[in-house]
Amino acid sequence: MSSYLEAIAALGGGSLHPGGFSHTLETMKRLTISPDDVVLDVGCGTGRTACYLARRFGAHVFALDKSEEMLAKARFRALQEGAEVHFVHGDALNMPFRDEVADLIVMESVLIFLPVRDVLKECYRVLKRNGVLVDVEMLASESLHPGAREKLKAFCGLPQIPTLGEWVNFFNEAGFSQVFMKQKRFPGVLEKFKEALYLDSCRVVSKELMTVNNLKILGKYMGLILRNRRSLGFGTFIVKKQPA
Ligand SMILES: C[S@@+](CC[C@H](N)C(=O)[O-])C[C@H]1O[C@@H](n2cnc3c(N)ncnc32)[C@H](O)[C@@H]1O
C-alpha cells in the first residue's frame, strides 16, 4: 500500500475518486440495478458507493478492500446509514468470489493503483455473462510531461497513468465490449462546487493517523494534481462481459 493510500485512509473521505460522489450518482443513472443483482464494489474504500447501492437499489452488495483501515470505516458507515453491505477483506488480484457470480462490478479509482490486466482478468472471471463493469479512473493526455508523470506515479504508487486510448485497449484486451465511455477534465471549480452539495456525513478521521507527515502527503498530492491539471483527466468506462 503506498503512503498516499495510507494517508487518504487516515482522512477517511467517502468518495476518493475523481468526480467524487456527484459523479458516482451520475454514472449509476446509466445502469439498471435490481434487488436480485449481486454487486461487487472492488476497492470500496470507506464504502460510500457500496452503502448507496445497497440502500438505493436493495441489491446484494459485497464490498471488498485490501485495507483493514478502510474497511473499519466502511463498516461504521454502513451501521450509521443502516445499509446492508457484506464487507470482505481481500485482494482485487485474487478475489474470494466464485466464477460468474456478479451482475455488476464497480471500481472507482482502484485499477490505476494495480496491475490493470491482472485485475481485469479477475473481474472477467467473477462477472456473469452479460455482466457489467463500471470503472472510473484518472487518465493523462500525451501532453503530460514525462518528468511529471514519473513524479505522480512514484508519489502515489501508480504502476501507470494510462491515456484514454490505453484504458480502452485494456478493456478490449480483457474481452469486454464497450457500452459507454466518457472523458472529463480533472475536477475543476464546477465539480468541486457540485461535490460540496454532497458532503459526507459519515467521514471518520483517524486522529492518531492525522500526522503532520500524512497532511504533508495530501498537500503534496494536491499540488502535483493542480500543477498538471491541464494534462490530467478521468474516464468513466462502462463495459460488458461478452457472452461466449
Ligand atoms: C483511491 S481509493 C478509492 C476508494 C473508493 N473506491 C472510493 O472511490 O472512495 C483506492 C482503494 O483501493 C484499495 N486497494 C488498493 N489495492 C487494493 C487491492 N489489491 N485489492 C483491493 N483493494 C485495494 C485501497 O485500500 C483503497 O481503498
Side-chain angles (χ1 to χ4, degrees):
M1 188 91 27
S2 69
S3 47
Y4 165 70
L5 280 179
E6 279 168 13
I8 60 173
L11 195 61
S15 289
L16 301 165
H17 56 267
F21 192 63
S22 53
H23 183 67
T24 300
L25 294 179
E26 254 172 53
T27 306
M28 295 306 157
K29 280 190 201 147
R30 300 185 175 277
L31 307 174
T32 311
I33 305 174
S34 84
D36 293 334
D37 284 349
V38 172
V39 177
L40 311 182
D41 183 352
V42 175
C44 65
T46 66
R48 194 174 185 192
T49 296
C51 289
Y52 167 75
L53 293 172
R55 292 205 311 151
R56 168 73 180 78
F57 301 102
H60 305 286
V61 179
F62 294 79
L64 174 135
D65 206 284
K66 203 176 174 184
S67 156
E68 289 282 17
E69 174 84 19
M70 289 287 197
L71 283 173
K73 293 180 183 194
R75 289 192 183 101
F76 175 79
R77 177 191 299 282
L79 269 179
Q80 294 292 305
E81 292 189 6
E84 198 177 319
V85 175
H86 311 278
F87 291 102
V88 181
H89 182 228
D91 193 332
L93 286 159
N94 183 18
M95 295 190 227
F97 303 122
R98 61 178 170 78
D99 295 358
E100 307 206 335
V101 71
D103 297 280
L104 171 66
I105 296 180
V106 178
M107 281 194 290
E108 294 174 306
S109 193
V110 178
L111 267 186
I112 194 160
F113 291 94
L114 298 171
V116 175
R117 288 187 177 88
D118 298 336
V119 179
L120 285 181
K121 204 170 160 197
E122 261 305 80
C123 291
Y124 199 86
R125 178 184 70 76
V126 300
L127 266 181
K128 289 179 185 168
R129 278 156 217 273
N130 283 315
V132 169
L133 166 65
V134 178
D135 187 28
V136 176
E137 299 291 345
M138 181 164 83
L139 46 79
S141 66
E142 305 286 356
S143 67
L144 182 62
H145 187 277
R149 181 185 293 265
E150 289 314 310
K151 233 185 199 168
L152 201 52
K153 277 169 63 183
F155 186 74
C156 297
L158 309 174
Q160 68 268 307
I161 310 178
T163 61
L164 181 73
E166 286 166 343
W167 278 119
V168 170
N169 283 343
F170 279 132
F171 293 111
N172 289 344
E173 269 176 32
F176 290 101
S177 59
Q178 192 176 300
V179 176
F180 171 83
M181 181 190 70
K182 187 163 185 169
Q183 176 178 15
K184 279 190 165 185
R185 295 186 67 145
F186 214 76
V189 179
L190 183 63
E191 278 83 6
K192 290 245 156 38
F193 178 71
K194 266 207 234 156
E195 196 55 11
L197 300 175
Y198 297 102
L199 282 182
D200 181 8
S201 57
C202 283
R203 178 180 213 138
V204 185
V205 178
S206 305
K207 289 204 182 83
E208 72 285 4
L209 294 177
M210 280 319 290
T211 56
V212 173
N213 192 39
N214 274 345
L215 289 172
K216 271 191 192 157
I217 288 174
L218 295 171
K220 198 166 169 196
Y221 169 76
M222 298 302 287
L224 276 172
I225 295 291
L226 276 176
R227 272 200 298 287
N228 297 291
R229 258 200 87 225
R230 285 174 201 282
S231 307
L232 295 171
F234 65 103
T236 306
F237 306 92
I238 303 182
V239 296
K240 202 175 214 182
K241 175 169 172 172
Q242 287 170 336

